[in-house]
Amino acid sequence: MKEIENIASGKVVGIGKLKVFATAEFPYEIPTFSFLVSRAESGMFVATCIQLMLDSEGETPNHACDGLKNIVLHHLDILFGKGGNFAWDALHESFNDDFAAPYWKAYRDFQLNLSEQGISTDTKTVLYNHISELERQINDLRSMIDNSNVRFSAKIVDYQERAAA
């Protein structure tokens, strides 16, 4: 198993994916975002969206991930509030920024280490496992969207940690 190099925020302890779902108010199909979770020297956890280079800090990995989800939604709300062309141009620039190279390296190395341990990182598998729960939630979500000012929503669709050695 390969030792994962630290990223700027600390030692990588997990990886995940974040899917932003299109709604009537936010009709954009955004590619799935990838993120790393690291543990800082302070003991806090930092979730970093690789494509957007956005961070969220929390006392647990889940708190950091939830915060990242909210930051990503806020960021997209601001981008698309300025107009579709501006938003797409900004996303193209962000997705292709060379600054993310060390984050992608850490993500892929962590992913390969999980595979070496027999842990699947296939998002499709994770999504298929959630289908029954999502079907149950569809009516609730439709009701929420119809009866509120929700513009769009997101859900962490995958997060994995390596088992302690």
Side-chain angles (χ1 to χ4, degrees), residues 13-28:
V13 298
I15 61 173
K17 296 178 184 170
L18 171 73
K19 179 64 181 161
V20 175
F21 297 100
T23 65
E25 290 291 320
F26 187 80
Y28 307 103

Side-chain angles (χ1 to χ4, degrees), residues 70-129:
N70 293 330
I71 289 168
V72 167
L73 290 176
H74 181 71
H75 182 73
L76 292 174
D77 192 30
I78 290 170
L79 283 181
F80 282 93
K82 294 181 179 184
N85 288 339
F86 175 85
W88 291 114
D89 289 345
L91 288 174
H92 276 281
E93 184 177 328
S94 182
F95 272 59
N96 293 301
D97 193 330
D98 291 336
F99 186 74
Y103 293 83
W104 281 118
K105 181 182 182 319
Y107 184 93
R108 288 187 297 269
D109 285 342
F110 199 95
Q111 190 176 39
L112 285 167
N113 284 351
L114 288 172
S115 292
E116 186 178 345
Q117 292 178 308
I119 300 169
S120 174
T121 60
D122 181 15
T123 302
K124 288 180 183 177
T125 302
V126 172
L127 292 174
Y128 287 136
N129 291 338

Side-chain angles (χ1 to χ4, degrees), residues 14-77:
I15 61 173
K17 296 178 184 170
L18 171 73
K19 179 64 181 161
V20 175
F21 297 100
T23 65
E25 290 291 320
F26 187 80
Y28 307 103
E29 180 60 37
I30 307 292
T32 301
F33 295 106
S34 299
F35 65 90
L36 295 164
V37 174
S38 58
R39 186 173 191 142
E41 287 184 20
S42 67
M44 295 293 284
F45 293 90
V46 180
T48 303
C49 177
I50 300 172
Q51 291 91 338
L52 301 176
M53 293 311 298
L54 295 173
D55 292 327
S56 175
E57 190 175 76
E59 292 181 4
T60 67
N62 286 339
H63 286 131
C65 292
D66 286 342
L68 182 64
K69 176 183 70 173
N70 293 330
I71 289 168
V72 167
L73 290 176
H74 181 71
H75 182 73
L76 292 174
D77 192 30

